[in-house]
Structure formats: structure tokens, C-alpha cells
Amino acid sequence: MAQTIAVLDFGSQLTQVIARRIRECQVYSKIYHFSTPAEKLREDGVVGIILSGGPQSVYAKTAPHPDPAIFELGVPILGICYGVQLMGHFLGGKVALSKEREYGHGHLTIKRPGKLFATLPRKLRIWNSHGDKLTRLPPGFVATAGSENSPYAGIEDAKRRFYGIQFHPEVSHTEHGVDMIRNFLVKICGARQDWTTRDFIAHAVAAIRSKVGKSRVILGLSGGVDSSVAAALLHKAVGRQLTCVFVDNGLLRKGERATVEALYRRHFKIDVRVVDASALFLRRLRGVVEPEQKRKIIGRTFVEVFEKSLRQIGHADFLAQGTLYPDVIESVSIAGNPASLIKTHHNVGGLPARMKLKLVEPLRELFKDEVRAVGAVLGLPREVVWRQPFPGPGLGVRVMGDITAERLGILRNADAVLQEEMMRSGYYWKVWQSFAVFLPVRTVGVFGDERTYDYVVALRIVESVDAMTADWARLPHDLLQKISSRITNEVRGVSRVVLDISSKPPATIEWE
Ligand code: XMP
């Protein structure tokens, strides 16, 4: 039985990031509702508690408060941001209300390293995001570190093993933040560092089995990393109770459908139903040129086709989805701020409720790199685990303007050449995305002795860390030359290849 670190969640969007950092330290943690009774934590064998941040003031009427008995459990506690104010409030210190939020970079000066800051440099850049702050220490506490705005940026009561920090060690902007968390886990709580991806998988498999029982589970497989890892994990958990649906919308890359069939059906022996709806998608997209309109049609048609295929498959109780933690955050921020919706990303939003399906989302707490690690341990090939992102609307937003079978064919062939050369040279693994775009522009060329009047293909090859910003990849000229001459030689209908050298912003990664 793994030793558990309890993270009490007071409503910060960073709570899952704390959990992620704990996993990085190979320690097992569990996120609990802020009001969880201390008795429950004791029963669960918790060896340490982290109080998360939160958006409220400890004095607010609706402020989330923990069970005060957690301070009597005798286990170490680390309060982060709102968490340290709770310690002040509950243990006899004083917290001052502040109308202004202190947000962004700050500087920490460590005065007494103690166990929390052991072996760290004395001066560190930190990340703040708080309104109220501690103005008087609770009895038994001493200040261990200060910042420009607070003499109590770090506090401790080493005897009771209570520690508090005003800033956020879990975000990457705080230097040595993970080391502070590791010090708390290992040096203070004495946690063993033995929690691995294999343990996560074993845990997830058990959780899926207990949730699903003998019921049938359906999963929409797209071939992307998330749904692929979810499929492999669910298959490990419930075997033939899982049925995957792969919709061929006619907007896939060359060979994609065959690859998916080969891998999941033949290799993993998963029950995959391929639904060929390409004719329907192309019919509905005829004459549509506006990108958002395309997305809406593709999204709506997908849901319709998926729903119909579910009815044909027969009764199921569960719908599995490869939702990741960043998707959870994104849907929250999009819901709260319509301006952040630059392009509508299609998903199967309303489907589960309409179909009376319960959701299984085994990757909901993970970040992308963790999902890749899970996929690798489950035996998915490198081509899947490290696959570049591919948009839901597929080639539909890579054929500029009107989508026709001819244009899709040209794009597919040009894109296949690009992928092949990217793979062969190894650059496929180094860039964020590499793809071709079809431009409905004809230009003059010569082929042999003949004058041609053919289409243009653009190459979009970008580097990025999170797709929020991106820059065009500086590939060797020889490689670009090879890609270009192979496309113009091998792909009929293309006489010119251009390279997109725009960064994001102002350009987006996709052209539509
Ligand atoms: P942009 O073009 O906005 O793309 O810079 C950022 C990332 O999102 C992908 N993308 C999409 N993914 N549905 C998706 O599932 C979409 O409609 C969509 N549009 C863009 C894009 O490939 C890039 O990785």
C-alpha cells in the first residue's frame, strides 16, 4: 500500500499541478475535498497534508475551511498561498485583508533553510498570486524566508512539522519549487519515492473495473495520443467489454485508417468499428469555404455519425474519453471567457447526457507528458505516443476554401511526402507540427517541355511548447529542397511549394 500525501483542494486551478509535481517526485498523492474529516485522512493512512491555494479570503462568508482536527493529526502540513493563510487563521496568527492581488514574479530570501529549503540557494525567483497575507505569526512559528512584499513568505513550526509558503512552488516560474515540494515529501513526511507509471496504471485499471463492473464501454478513437492511450488503458482494464468507434470523415491523412485498424484490431485485439462516413461529410461540406462553418459542420456531423453508430452497436452504459487535465482547465476558462474561444475545438460535448451514458475519463488528472509515459508503458508504438497534434476537423481546415475530393487527394499526397521526409530525417520528432496546406491558387510552371498551370502547396512546420505560441522551424535547406522537389515531381496537380515563415502570433498554426 502506497503512502498517501493528501492534497486538500481549496479551489485553486493549480491544485492538479501540485498533484503532478508530487507524482514527479514519485510519491503517491490524492486530492481531497477541502472539508474531508480528519478522521477519514487518518483512516486512509495519510503521511502528510498539503493545503492548496484558493481564490477566496479566509474571512469570506463562503470561504472554504478544513476540518480543524487536521492540525491535531500529528502529520506534517504544508500550506501553500491560501493554505498558509488558513494556518494563520486556525493556529492563532493574523491575516490581513487586501484589496489588491500580488501577482507575478517576486524574489525570495531564505533566512533559515530548515528542512523545507534545505540545500537550496538563498535567493530565488518565485511566483506570487495572492490577495490577503499573513501579518502575525501563529504561536510556535518562526519566519524562514521573506520576499519584497512580506516578511512571512516562508514560515515553520518545526516541532509540529507545520510549514507554510506564501508563493506557488508548483509552477515552473518558481525556481527550485519542485525541490521544496520534494523536501516536504521526503525530508519532512518521510514518504517513499516509489510511485511509478506502472503503479498509476495498476491504480487506474482497478478504478475503471470498479466503476464499470460488467457494463459495456464505448470509446471514440481518433488515432491521436489521448484517445489511443485511453483505449489501451480501458482495454487492459475491461478487455472485450470495450468497443471503439473510429469515424472515417474523409478528412484523414493518407493511410491513417489502415494504420489504426492494423494497430488496434490486429495488434491489440481491440473491438474497433470503423464507420466510413466520408461521403456524408464531403457532401455536407460542398461549397463551404468559411473555416468556422466548416468546423461546425464537421463537429455536428461527427456527433450525428457517432450517435448513429452507437445505436447500431447496441446498449452501453459508459462512454470513455481521453480527457486530459489541460482540457478540463481549457473548458473552464473558455466557459468563463468567450473571448478565449479563438477557434471552436470540436468534441462530443452534449453526447453523453443525450445518450444517457456515464463518463469514464481515466486520464483526467494527467498532463500530456504523463499520458505519453502511460502509453509507452502500455506498449503503444512511438508513432502513436509521440504523434504530432492533428486537428479534429483534419484536412478540412487544411484545404483552403472549397473542399473537393480532388483537392483532398492532392493534399493527402503532398502531405504524405512531407511526413515521410520528416520521419526519415528525424525532424518529425523534433518539431511540434509539420503538415501541408492546399492553396486553391493556380500558378504557371514548366514540366518537361510543357507549360503547366497547377496548384500551390504550403508547408507549415512549427516549433512550440504548448501551441499557444509557435515559431517556424529552421529546417536544413537540403531537407526543404528534397521535400519540395519530391512534391512537385510526385504529386500531380502541384507545380509550386512555398514555406510558411510566420510565427504565432499573429498567425495561427493552422491556416483556417
Ligand atoms: P491554432 O491554429 O489555433 O492551433 O494555432 C493550435 C493547436 O490546435 C490545433 N487545432 C485544432 N484542434 N480542432 C482540434 O482538435 C480544431 O478545430 C483545431 N484547430 C486548431 C492545431 O493543430 C494546433 O495544434
Side-chain angles (χ1 to χ4, degrees), residues 374-387:
V374 169
V377 171
L378 288 171
L380 286 170
R382 185 182 183 204
E383 285 71 17
V384 172
V385 169
W386 287 99
R387 203 178 109 117

Side-chain angles (χ1 to χ4, degrees), residues 355-373:
M355 299 290 293
K356 300 198 171 53
L357 288 164
K358 287 174 265 183
L359 275 182
V360 204
E361 298 179 306
L363 311 175
R364 208 181 152 81
E365 291 179 0
L366 300 190
F367 291 75
K368 196 82 172 190
D369 57 325
E370 298 182 296
V371 171
R372 293 195 213 278

Side-chain angles (χ1 to χ4, degrees), residues 55 111 157 160 168 193 217 433 475 484:
K111 294 179 222 143
D157 174 345
R160 285 188 286 177
H168 289 275
Q193 292 180 275
V217 186
Q433 269 172 295
L475 296 187
S484 156

Side-chain angles (χ1 to χ4, degrees), residues 116-131:
L116 191 65
F117 301 129
T119 71
L120 303 189
R122 290 300 174 100
K123 289 198 183 292
L124 296 170
R125 264 159 78 83
I126 53 170
W127 186 259
N128 288 304
S129 173
H130 60 96

Side-chain angles (χ1 to χ4, degrees), residues 295 343-346 389-393 398 432-433 467 504 508-510:
R295 279 192 172 76
K343 290 176 183 174
T344 51
H345 288 207
H346 98 256
F390 185 69
R398 292 181 181 173
W432 174 264
Q433 269 172 295
K504 172 182 181 177
T508 48
I509 295 175
E510 301 291 342

Side-chain angles (χ1 to χ4, degrees), residues 50-180:
I50 294 183
L51 310 176
S52 83
Q56 297 249 30
S57 163
V58 286
Y59 295 120
K61 265 210 192 85
T62 53
H65 283 177
D67 175 359
I70 61 165
F71 296 106
E72 311 297 329
L73 281 174
V75 301
I77 300 181
L78 171 66
I80 294 175
C81 193
Y82 178 81
V84 78
Q85 289 148 25
L86 283 172
M87 289 175 128
H89 187 65
F90 277 85
L91 301 173
K94 200 162 182 258
V95 177
L97 281 170
S98 162
K99 284 206 166 58
E100 276 166 33
R101 268 191 102 68
E102 193 185 321
Y103 185 81
H105 278 294
H107 295 88
L108 188 76
T109 304
I110 296 170
K111 294 179 222 143
R112 302 160 64 115
K115 286 188 173 166
L116 191 65
F117 301 129
T119 71
L120 303 189
R122 290 300 174 100
K123 289 198 183 292
L124 296 170
R125 264 159 78 83
I126 53 170
W127 186 259
N128 288 304
S129 173
H130 60 96
D132 300 354
K133 57 187 173 199
L134 200 63
T135 50
R136 197 183 67 221
L137 289 177
F141 278 78
V142 292
T144 54
S147 69
E148 48 269 79
N149 295 307
S150 165
Y152 304 130
I155 63 169
E156 72 174 39
D157 174 345
K159 207 152 134 226
R160 285 188 286 177
R161 299 186 293 170
F162 292 163
Y163 296 79
I165 41 186
Q166 183 60 83
F167 52 92
H168 289 275
E170 67 275 28
V171 303
S172 58
H173 310 292
T174 294
E175 288 177 329
H176 291 283
V178 183
D179 295 327
M180 297 174 198

